[in-house]
Amino acid sequence: MRQKSPAHAKRGEGRRKRAPGRPRSEQAHSAILRSTLKLLGQNGFSELTIESVAAHAGVGKATVYRWWPNKAALIADAFASSTTRKLHFPDTGSVRTDMSQQMRQLIKIFSSRRGRIVSAILGGGQSDRDLIAAFRERFLWPRRREAYATLQRGILRGELRKDVDMDLLLDSLYGPIYMRFLIRHDKLTPDFVDSLCELVLAGADPQKKLSSKKI
């Protein structure tokens, strides 16, 4: 059998030990998102810059721009990536339980340190169109599409009217949560979420519609 020369063996070892590009990219990507959340929570939207995020993450500014076109997209992605797993809608066989459990998770996030980040995004979005558009596209709409699927299952099971306006229903469910979160006139509690679900979803109950016709 032909043996490798020492020099050839060393070159082979070097090739084997060389780290592939993908893990380094994934590490940099994760570091950027973590740094964005940390700096946003500390300094708010107006003080956060691509340069400060890059420095905190230990990468070059060009690395940040490789994945995000601007600060707004970066912030929205950072928040969405940190909450997506927690905000999936369950499929318990009951639309009321599915909605209530997901909404309970949402108020947990709003009541945690992430709540300060949501405030920064919503506050900054009032004067920055790119930020509020990125928040809608990267956080709100993916959750909204999951919610549509949840409501559709409720319709198929006969829990909700077939002609229910799903957008109006979702705005009625989540609007009060955002109001309490932003105005802070009352607390966000699991009991509040359960009562809200009961009140709003009762209005879309096909049996309630039938009973009202008989009166």
Side-chain angles (χ1 to χ4, degrees):
M1 182 184 292
R2 185 179 178 183
Q3 294 182 344
K4 295 179 180 179
S5 67
H8 187 268
K10 287 182 179 179
R11 286 197 297 271
E13 288 176 3
R15 283 195 295 270
R16 285 194 297 271
K17 291 180 180 179
R18 185 179 301 138
R22 181 179 291 273
R24 286 201 299 269
S25 294
E26 290 175 353
Q27 290 169 8
H29 190 276
S30 297
I32 292 167
L33 294 175
R34 288 194 302 269
S35 295
T36 301
L37 290 175
K38 186 171 183 178
L39 294 176
L40 186 64
Q42 289 177 348
N43 306 321
F45 171 73
S46 60
E47 298 299 320
L48 187 139
T49 64
I50 295 293
E51 291 80 4
S52 65
V53 170
H56 191 278
V59 301
K61 187 169 65 172
T63 301
V64 180
Y65 281 116
R66 184 189 309 165
W67 289 301
W68 296 279
N70 51 44
K71 182 174 78 168
L74 172 58
I75 290 172
D77 257 2
F79 177 71
S81 67
S82 72
T83 58
T84 295
R85 184 176 58 84
K86 297 178 181 179
L87 291 179
H88 280 309
F89 286 77
D91 185 1
T92 65
S94 164
V95 69
R96 185 170 297 182
T97 302
D98 292 347
M99 296 303 301
S100 177
Q101 287 186 6
Q102 199 273 349
M103 291 163 66
R104 280 173 172 242
Q105 286 298 109
L106 181 64
I107 67 169
K108 276 187 181 180
I109 289 172
F110 281 5
S111 301
S112 71
R113 288 182 298 177
R114 290 288 186 269
R116 185 175 179 181
I117 295 171
V118 180
S119 294
I121 292 173
L122 296 179
Q126 302 312 301
S127 57
D128 189 308
R129 288 186 176 183
D130 289 340
L131 178 60
I132 203 66
F135 181 74
R136 285 196 303 266
E137 178 185 347
R138 296 166 187 260
F139 174 75
L140 179 63
W141 284 117
R143 306 289 80 70
R144 193 88 166 185
R145 285 190 287 271
E146 278 195 62
Y148 290 150
T150 299
L151 297 180
Q152 187 61 42
R153 290 195 298 268
I155 292 172
L156 292 175
R157 289 192 298 259
E159 298 173 280
L160 302 174
R161 297 197 313 271
K162 293 180 179 179
D163 63 345
V164 67
D165 185 328
M166 288 195 285
D167 285 308
L168 179 59
L169 189 61
L170 291 173
D171 285 350
S172 300
L173 285 168
Y174 287 90
I177 291 178
Y178 279 90
M179 182 174 180
R180 285 201 179 193
F181 173 66
L182 293 172
I183 307 300
R184 302 185 185 279
H185 63 289
D186 210 336
K187 294 180 180 180
L188 285 171
T189 65
D191 287 343
F192 166 68
V193 165
D194 292 344
S195 297
L196 184 58
C197 281
E198 184 176 356
L199 177 67
V200 175
L201 294 177
D205 188 328
Q207 297 302 318
K208 296 290 179 63
K209 185 178 182 181
L210 290 174
S211 63
S212 65
K213 282 184 175 180
K214 291 179 182 178
I215 295 176

